[in-house]
């Protein structure tokens, strides 16, 4: 049993290492469009693993993750020097994460006093408040959005260069993934797992669960702000849609599709969901049917949830179980063999 667990544990590490190696080598074999697409998918993966910290690891279903993402994106543009001077990455990125974390801290301090569907609705309400502040005021350019003309640099690293930007997004995803993996294996992460399984029992054992949940909420918001910052730098443009509930819902579908309770599930789900979107939107592949891409995407997501209850990350386990049942079914009866 311990050998099987060790093999499974090692297989997970090999899979994650292979994914990051493939992502690192991807620009060498893809064109400019392919590298740009994968860069966008990696940004969504950062946002997905940030939400996984709340939903899969702590049991907090947040429906306002896009607010922190959008705040990080808008901060990257609004905090850029007014005289078009080149901003420093060491200043722009921490400030974007700080603003997203502060809003997450404020939202979490209030919303974590509720539970269940009320928590979901309160986080959605705060996200919509941030959306309408950006959408209906001149703070962020209103519905037209705003452009980022000069991108940050750090020594020889120039995020205006496509290759440099891709490498920085890849390194960001790697750092976030490694940080969250270590965090979840720490005593803090074990406490979050205990809260997810049985919050009442955690309270009975002497844990004050509120600070743990608030810390997880704030960390998730800061990482989402990091993802938003990268999105603004990549596109050079931000709009209120970055804070809409549609994005929050999409990220939630990503981690469910990949498999809740696993960081690698959030990683897989982000890529799978985004690639499915690109496939069903492609007129070159689907012709006129691409105009109704929501229908095709919805049907595929429903099928995945129905036939893969553990998500994409649970497929190997399902296949092993199926193979074991087949072996047991076709195994000869030992008594008959002896006869």
């Amino acid at each position: 049993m311990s050998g099987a667990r060790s093999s499974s544990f090692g297989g997970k590490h090999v899979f994650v290492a292979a994914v990051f190696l493939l992502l690192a080598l991807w620009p060498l074999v893809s064109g400019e469009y392919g590298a740009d697409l994968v860069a966008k998918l990696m940004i969504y993966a950062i946002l997905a693993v940030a939400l996984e910290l709340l939903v899969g690891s702590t049991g907090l279903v947040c429906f306002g993750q896009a607010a922190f993402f959008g705040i990080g994106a808008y901060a990257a543009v609004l905090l850029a020097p007014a005289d078009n001077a080149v901003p420093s990455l060491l200043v722009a990125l921490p400030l974007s994460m700080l603003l997203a974390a502060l809003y997450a801290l404020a939202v979490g301090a209030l919303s974590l006093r509720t539970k269940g569907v009320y928590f979901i609705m309160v986080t959605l309400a705060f996200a919509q408040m941030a959306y309408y502040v950006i959408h209906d005021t001149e703070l962020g350019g209103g519905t037209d959005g705003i452009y980022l003309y000069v991108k940050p640099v750090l020594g020889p690293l120039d995020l205006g260069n496509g290759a440099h930007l891709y490498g920085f997004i890849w390194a960001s995803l790697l750092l976030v993934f490694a940080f969250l993996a270590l965090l979840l294996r720490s005593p803090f992460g074990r406490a979050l797992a205990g809260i997810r399984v049985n919050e009442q029992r955690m309270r009975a054992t002497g844990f004050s669960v509120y600070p743990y949940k608030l810390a997880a909420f704030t960390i998730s918001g800061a990482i989402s702000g990091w993802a938003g910052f990268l999105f603004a730098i990549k596109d050079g443009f931000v709009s209120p849609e970055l804070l809409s509930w549609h994005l929050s819902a999409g990220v939630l579908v990503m981690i469910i599709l990949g498999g809740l309770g696993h960081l690698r599930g959030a990683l897989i789900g982000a890529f799978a969901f985004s690639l499915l979107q690109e496939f069903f939107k492609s007129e070159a592949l689907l012709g006129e049917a691409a105009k109704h891409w929501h229908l095709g995407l919805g049907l595929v997501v429903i099928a995945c949830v129905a036939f893969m209850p553990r998500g994409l990350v649970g497929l190997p386990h399902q296949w092993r179980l199926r193979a074991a049942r087949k072996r047991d079914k076709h195994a000869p009866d030992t008594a008959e063999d002896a006869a």
Side-chain angles (χ1 to χ4, degrees):
M1 181 66 74
S2 61
R5 286 181 181 175
S6 176
S7 175
S8 174
F9 185 73
K12 295 171 187 176
H13 280 71
V14 169
F15 172 78
V16 172
V19 168
F20 277 101
L21 179 61
L22 180 62
L23 291 174
L25 298 177
W26 176 251
L28 301 178
V29 296
S30 71
E32 184 178 346
Y33 172 78
D36 185 74
L37 174 62
V38 171
K40 181 176 75 172
L41 300 188
M42 287 193 290
I43 293 171
Y44 284 140
I46 294 174
L47 183 59
V49 294
L51 183 59
E52 169 63 27
L53 176 65
L54 291 182
V55 181
S57 302
T58 317
L60 299 171
V61 182
C62 176
F63 212 67
Q65 205 71 9
F68 316 130
F69 180 80
I71 288 171
Y74 268 89
V77 180
L78 293 173
L79 296 176
D83 56 356
N84 284 338
V86 178
S88 169
L89 182 62
L90 284 179
V91 175
L93 177 57
L95 280 177
S96 298
M97 294 177 65
L98 177 62
L99 288 175
L102 287 175
Y103 189 68
L105 179 63
V107 173
L110 297 172
S111 61
L112 287 171
R113 301 184 185 280
T114 62
K115 293 182 180 179
V117 68
Y118 300 104
F119 175 79
I120 296 172
M121 297 307 295
V122 170
T123 55
L124 174 60
F126 275 109
Q128 288 301 99
M129 285 169 55
Y131 170 80
Y132 282 112
V133 166
I134 295 296
H135 186 275
D136 295 346
T137 68
E138 291 302 316
L139 175 65
T143 57
D144 296 330
I146 46 177
Y147 288 89
L148 177 67
Y149 296 103
V150 182
K151 299 184 179 181
V153 298
L154 178 62
L157 178 65
D158 179 7
L159 297 188
N161 180 292
H164 289 194
L165 179 60
Y166 184 96
F168 184 72
I169 293 172
W170 178 86
S172 297
L173 177 59
L174 179 62
L175 285 172
V176 167
F177 192 92
F179 167 74
L180 289 178
L182 291 173
L183 184 72
L184 294 176
R185 292 178 64 81
S186 70
F188 176 80
R190 300 300 185 191
L192 295 182
I195 293 170
R196 183 192 73 241
V197 174
N198 194 322
E199 186 173 333
Q200 291 299 111
R201 183 175 293 178
M202 290 293 289
R203 283 200 183 97
T205 56
F207 279 88
S208 179
V209 299
Y210 180 81
Y212 283 94
K213 293 195 291 185
L214 184 58
F217 202 92
T218 305
I219 292 170
S220 177
I223 294 173
S224 299
W226 189 343
F229 172 86
L230 294 174
F231 191 91
I233 299 302
K234 187 189 81 66
D235 276 13
F237 172 77
V238 292
S239 72
E241 296 308 309
L242 295 179
L243 293 91
S244 72
W245 68 269
H246 300 88
L247 179 58
S248 295
V251 179
L252 194 57
V253 172
M254 287 177 191
I255 62 175
I256 293 171
L257 183 63
L260 289 175
H262 308 276
L263 285 178
R264 67 187 188 285
L267 188 68
I268 297 168
F271 279 88
F273 184 76
S274 301
L275 288 173
L276 282 171
Q277 273 189 324
E278 293 294 326
F279 172 77
F280 285 109
K281 285 181 179 179
S282 175
E283 292 187 6
L285 295 173
L286 301 179
E288 290 295 315
K291 295 179 181 178
H292 310 288
W293 65 272
H294 292 91
L295 177 62
L297 180 64
L299 291 173
V300 169
V301 170
I302 290 171
C304 288
V305 172
F307 295 105
M308 295 183 295
R310 295 190 176 187
L312 292 170
V313 77
L315 273 180
H317 180 71
Q318 279 186 262
W319 290 337
R320 285 195 296 269
L321 282 179
R322 225 173 259 175
R325 286 185 191 130
K326 284 183 180 178
R327 284 197 303 269
D328 292 342
K329 185 177 179 180
H330 297 293
D333 187 83
T334 53
E336 290 180 2
D337 290 347

